[in-house]
């Protein structure tokens, strides 16, 4: 409150000075730039002591001019991380912030994770009040909604919690591609496709920033593994970078203007990302026109002076030594002070918009109940029905349900590390079905509960604080699946109407997943459970469903024929059990579709041979030899059959696609519109995610068989109700990147538009013609690898 009064007085003095035309110490005058440090009579000495104050954007230049080199070097380096060199930040659980420079009116700002919701400490010493936040569904789940309006609502809720808990910048969302299905942080990322990743990111950022706080898109760029993430050198062609690994960032920058971009840990074509001027300045600012600020990932990079030159405005979490090195570099002439001024200005451009600068009086009391409803709806909308033979789902109200699998009780809300959220609770699948009014086989539930409880008492399986600190959540050792004998299964079957098996998986920051049993592969015990339960129930003429509570693909092909239904629930956030129950019971008709491909076996993944790099025992370099053929681009082009293809997902109803056409007589000029009529031909209401793929002619540039160019979701359609969807495609949407000419180009020829329910389930197609090559955009000659890449090609 005192600071607020002081700023008010300073602004009053500024107005007086301006009104009387006082010349301030020979300095040039700009509206709102100067104010007195303290209220005093207008003596000659007072005028000499007047210094610039940060009051708005117009004041930034004068403030920078008044800053010492040491102050500038201080501002571009974070204040450190709690437990490192500083005490806990005022917002406990925040992982960093910027320093205050009080003499110039520059306040401190505070940063906190993360992608699935704001992560701060839920309790504070000496206080009975709690500071829980909402754990939303993981990004992969949000992408599976194929609905940017749902994702925007999640962003609005996240941003409200950021603001009301006194945080200025959310260190999210993350949008690196699912290059390989075993990447440990894939749960934080949206998709294998850059269009989905970019559009979902933009929707989330726009939602977050509607609250007046900042969002941070990360990790820029080509950060697609956790193995040796600080040191791995990612070698990738400029075309693959432009079309895939940078494309989502480009979309997000242009459609949502995020306040911050976080540079990644890895090297990119030989240079650390946070020290890569071509990446951070030439492409981000030059080619895309980005006007926010760039921060490092925590502890990234090796040379703070090189980071400044590259256009990495802020080093996080920050060490005093970094400030000293930057200041000394300016003084000895090895760093141009104009570069430091540029970086300071980029930071201050957001500071003047931040809640801290505006003295926002945060409530510490966001509407968590309302946000829980947002989380629950988003979770249900992102669930994907992979199989549903003979309408085994939805459950009938009179069904008595037998739940198998430990994840029915220890339901996984989200991944670990900075993507974790300290929520007040997680609704288990057991409790979700109870809340929905279903009768469960209580003896079986109790047996699982006792089994889990006994193992959690053992030292090997005790839940402990995260090794990174308790603010990063908990370390939860995986409990092995409980062994069931056939007699026990038979007894449970006799006393229930349907069996529901829950398979759980988790992963997190710092470690990639493995192609082993208990991770990508099911364990022998899990497979035996599926086999024994399925046999017992099928012998009795009953159905079996599997719920997958996972963050990324697991092997399915070897066991899916044994069960009747498979619901991919993902890691659905704190409302997990209620959202699963909504879909299992039909309260919500599943409309989610895969935004990442499920292969038949890991060896089918195009990057399987070179992930996570070479040498195998301790990788230093990873070469993206699959080039532009990531995910469905590979499977469709090289005729590799996946277990479940990109865009796949079933519903409790059916949809008919018709009247698929383009305008302009099929001749492309600046843009073209694709039309598709979608009709619900089933018996219950539902929504359909509609996908528009394009097959481009092979000219000079080799093209994948199909590429997603647009998508949309219908409203809730009642039986026999229709909706006409329209999709606008412009030249940039269709363009490929020509490395030789540094141009985005649409090559002449006939283009086939394929509208469908998945990448393989095409419902109808049409064509349009591009009469001559169109040069859409010419960009910088940047990011060219110095290492020769043996690129995958269909030629």
């Amino acid at each position: 409150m005192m600071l607020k009064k002081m700023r008010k007085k300073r602004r009053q003095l500024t107005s007086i000075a301006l009104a009387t035309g006082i010349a301030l110490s020979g300095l040039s005058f700009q509206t709102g730039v100067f104010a007195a440090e303290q209220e005093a009579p207008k003596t000659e000495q007072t005028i000499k002591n007047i210094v610039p104050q940060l009051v708005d954007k117009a004041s930034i230049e004068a403030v920078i001019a008044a800053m010492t080199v040491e102050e500038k070097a201080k501002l571009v380096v974070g204040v450190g991380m709690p437990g490192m060199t500083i005490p806990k930040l005022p917002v406990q659980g925040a992982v960093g912030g910027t320093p205050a420079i009080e003499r110039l009116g520059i306040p401190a700002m505070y940063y906190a994770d993360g992608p699935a919701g704001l992560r701060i400490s839920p309790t504070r010493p000496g206080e009975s009040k709690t500071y829980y936040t909402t754990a939303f569904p993981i990004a992969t789940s949000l992408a599976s909604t194929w609905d940017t309006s749902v994702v925007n609502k999640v962003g609005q809720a996240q941003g409200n919690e950021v603001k009301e808990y006194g945080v200025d910048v959310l260190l999210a969302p993350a949008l690196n591609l699912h290059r390989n299905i075993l990447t440990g942080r894939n749960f934080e990322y949206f998709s294998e496709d850059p269009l989905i990743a970019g559009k979902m990111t933009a929707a989330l950022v726009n939602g977050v920033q509607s609250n007046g706080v900042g969002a941070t898109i990360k990790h820029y760029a080509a950060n697609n593994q956790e193995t040796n993430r600080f040191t791995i050198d990612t070698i990738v062609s400029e075309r693959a970078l432009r079309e895939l690994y940078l494309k989502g960032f480009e979309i997000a920058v242009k459609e949502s203007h995020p306040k911050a971009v976080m540079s990644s840990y890895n090297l990119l074509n030989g240079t650390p990302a946070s020290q890569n001027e071509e990446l951070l300045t030439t492409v981000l600012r030059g080619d895309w026109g980005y006007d926010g600020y760039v921060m490092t990932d925590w502890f990234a990079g090796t040379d703070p002076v090189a980071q400044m030159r590259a256009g990495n405005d802020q080093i996080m979490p920050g060490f005093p030594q970094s400030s000293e090195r930057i200041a000394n570099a300016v003084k000895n002439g090895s760093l141009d002070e104009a570069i430091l001024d540029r970086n300071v200005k980029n930071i201050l451009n957001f500071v003047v918009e931040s809640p801290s600068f505006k003295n926002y009086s945060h409530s510490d009391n966001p509407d968590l109940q309302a946000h829980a409803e947002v989380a629950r709806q988003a979770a249900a909308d992102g669930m994907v029905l992979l199989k549903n033979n003979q309408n085994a789902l939805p459950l009938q109200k009179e069904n008595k349900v037998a739940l198998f699998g430990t994840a029915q009780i220890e339901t996984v809300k989200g991944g670990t590390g900075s993507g974790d959220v300290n929520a007040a609770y997680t609704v288990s699948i057991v409790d979700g079905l109870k809340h929905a009014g279903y009768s469960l086989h209580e003896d079986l539930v109790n047996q699982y509960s006792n089994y889990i409880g006994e193992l959690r008492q053992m030292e090997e399986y005790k839940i402990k604080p995260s090794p990174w600190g308790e603010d990063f959540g908990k370390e939860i050792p995986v409990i092995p699946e409980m062994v069931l004998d056939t007699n026990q299964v038979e007894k449970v079957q006799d006393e229930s109407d349907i069996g529901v098996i829950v398979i759980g998986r988790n992963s997190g920051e710092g470690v990639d997943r493995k192609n082993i049993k208990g991770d990508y592969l099911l364990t022998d015990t899990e497979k035996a459970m599926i086999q024994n339960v399925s046999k017992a129930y099928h012998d009795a003429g009953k159905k079996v469903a599997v719920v997958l509570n996972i963050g990324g693909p697991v092997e399915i092909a070897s066991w899916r024929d044994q069960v009747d239904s498979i619901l991919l629930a993902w890691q659905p956030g704190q409302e997990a059990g209620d959202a699963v129950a909504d879909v299992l019971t039909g309260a919500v008709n599943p409309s989610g579709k895969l935004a990442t491909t499920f292969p038949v076996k890991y060896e089918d993944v195009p990057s399987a041979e070179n992930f996570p790099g070479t040498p195998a025992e301790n990788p230093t370099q990873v070469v993206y030899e699959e080039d532009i053929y990531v995910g469905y681009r590979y499977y469709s082009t090289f005729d590799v059959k996946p277990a479940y293809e990109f865009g796949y997902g079933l519903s409790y109803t059916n949809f008919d696609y018709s009247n698929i056409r383009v305008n302009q007589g099929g001749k492309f000029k600046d843009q073209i519109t694709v039309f598709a009529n979608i009709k619900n031909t089933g018996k219950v209401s539902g929504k359909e995610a509609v996908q528009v793929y394009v097959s481009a002619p092979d000219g000079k540039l080799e093209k994948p068989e199909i590429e997603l160019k647009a998508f949309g979701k219908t409203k809730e359609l009642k039986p026999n109700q229709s909706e006409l969807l329209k999709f606008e495609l412009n030249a940039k949407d269709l363009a490929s990147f020509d490395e030789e000419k540094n141009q985005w180009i649409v090559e002449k020829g006939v283009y086939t538009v394929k509208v469908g329910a998945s990448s393989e389930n095409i419902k109808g197609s049409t064509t349009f013609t591009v009469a001559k090559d169109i040069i859409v955009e010419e960009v910088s000659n940047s990011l060219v690898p110095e290492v020769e890449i043996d690129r995958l090609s269909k030629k």
Side-chain angles (χ1 to χ4, degrees), residues 384-396 498 543-546 560 563-568 583-584 586 589-590 644 648-654 684:
V384 183
L385 187 61
L386 296 176
K387 183 177 182 179
N388 198 29
N389 282 5
Q390 297 179 335
N391 298 318
L393 293 176
L395 300 173
Q396 302 304 305
I498 187 170
K543 299 290 195 299
V544 174
V546 171
R560 62 182 170 185
V563 301
D564 303 288
S565 294
I566 303 173
L567 177 65
L568 175 56
V583 177
L584 288 178
N589 188 348
Y644 294 104
Y648 176 89
L650 303 176
S651 170
Y652 295 149
T653 189
N654 298 299
V684 295

Side-chain angles (χ1 to χ4, degrees), residues 153-414:
K153 289 176 184 175
V154 169
Q156 290 178 41
Q158 288 184 353
N160 177 256
E161 294 183 18
V162 171
K163 185 176 184 179
E164 293 304 329
Y165 277 129
V167 175
D168 297 283
V169 180
L170 180 68
L171 302 173
L175 69 147
N176 297 102
L177 291 190
H178 295 174
R179 173 185 178 248
N180 187 284
I181 60 171
L182 298 184
T183 298
R185 293 179 81 175
N186 272 353
F187 72 93
E188 294 188 38
Y189 309 145
F190 292 102
S191 175
E192 69 188 33
D193 182 79
L195 179 66
I196 291 281
K199 294 288 187 180
M200 294 297 170
T201 298
L204 197 71
V205 168
N206 283 326
V208 169
Q209 294 189 164
S210 69
N211 293 273
V213 298
T216 309
I217 62 173
K218 63 182 187 181
H219 309 87
Y220 183 69
N223 184 92
N224 304 110
Q225 64 187 68
E226 293 300 286
T227 302
N228 292 350
R229 61 180 179 160
F230 285 94
T231 57
I232 195 74
D233 188 2
T234 299
I235 307 299
V236 56
S237 74
E238 188 182 5
R239 181 180 178 190
L241 269 173
R242 294 276 189 175
E243 292 189 10
L244 297 178
Y245 299 103
L246 299 183
K247 187 65 176 179
F249 286 94
E250 181 181 5
I251 292 169
V253 163
K254 292 180 177 179
E255 295 187 8
S256 64
H257 307 286
K259 300 303 181 183
V261 171
M262 183 185 292
S263 56
S264 57
Y265 288 128
N266 56 286
L267 285 72
L268 179 58
N269 290 334
T271 304
S274 65
Q275 297 166 203
N276 192 320
E277 186 173 359
E278 290 186 347
L279 181 68
L280 302 180
T281 299
T282 307
V283 174
L284 181 61
R285 296 193 186 278
D287 292 344
W288 302 347
Y290 178 63
D291 61 0
Y293 71 105
V294 178
M295 69 176 79
T296 67
D297 203 341
W298 267 226
F299 310 104
T302 57
D303 184 341
V305 176
Q307 289 171 323
M308 291 293 102
R309 288 196 197 97
N312 204 117
D313 304 303
Q314 192 170 67
I315 299 169
M316 297 300 294
F319 290 97
Q321 320 65 303
S322 295
S323 293
E324 292 169 10
R325 287 180 64 182
I326 292 166
N328 289 337
V330 172
K331 291 174 181 178
N332 67 30
S334 60
L335 176 64
D336 188 341
E337 190 171 357
I339 290 174
L340 189 56
D341 290 350
R342 173 198 68 185
N343 297 355
V344 168
K345 183 177 181 180
N346 289 335
I347 296 168
L348 291 181
N349 277 333
F350 173 69
V351 170
V352 297
E353 299 177 353
S354 68
S356 287
F357 180 79
K358 295 177 179 179
N359 296 305
Y360 179 72
S361 182
H362 58 274
S363 67
D364 284 333
N365 190 34
D367 192 345
L368 297 181
Q369 185 173 349
H371 298 168
E373 287 301 312
V374 173
R376 178 173 175 172
Q377 184 63 57
D381 284 353
M383 292 182 189
V384 183
L385 187 61
L386 296 176
K387 183 177 182 179
N388 198 29
N389 282 5
Q390 297 179 335
N391 298 318
L393 293 176
L395 300 173
Q396 302 304 305
K397 199 66 180 177
E398 64 275 10
N399 284 160
K400 181 175 183 179
V401 181
L403 284 170
F404 298 87
T406 58
Q408 63 175 289
I409 294 169
E410 291 201 335
T411 306
V412 182
K413 75 180 190 303

Side-chain angles (χ1 to χ4, degrees), residues 393 401-408 429 433 444 448 481 484 489 498-504 522 525-535 537-538 543-549 559 562-569 580 584:
L393 293 176
V401 181
L403 284 170
F404 298 87
T406 58
Q408 63 175 289
I429 291 174
L433 283 169
L444 186 59
Y448 273 103
E481 194 54 68
L484 302 169
V489 174
I498 187 170
V500 176
I501 301 168
V502 185
I503 302 292
L522 268 58
T525 305
E526 288 171 328
K527 283 199 165 188
M529 175 173 61
I530 291 172
Q531 183 176 353
N532 294 338
V533 170
S534 297
K535 184 177 187 309
Y537 278 81
H538 290 164
K543 299 290 195 299
V544 174
V546 171
V547 175
L548 295 174
N549 176 206
W559 55 265
Q562 299 175 45
V563 301
D564 303 288
S565 294
I566 303 173
L567 177 65
L568 175 56
V580 168
L584 288 178

Side-chain angles (χ1 to χ4, degrees), residues 193 239 243-244 628 632-633 636 692-696 703-710 734-736:
D193 182 79
R239 181 180 178 190
E243 292 189 10
L244 297 178
I628 60 172
Y632 72 88
R633 287 169 168 80
S636 61
V692 178
Y693 298 91
V694 170
S695 294
K703 311 289 199 320
E705 178 65 24
I706 57 170
E707 290 186 283
L708 183 73
K709 296 301 183 183
L734 301 173
S736 299

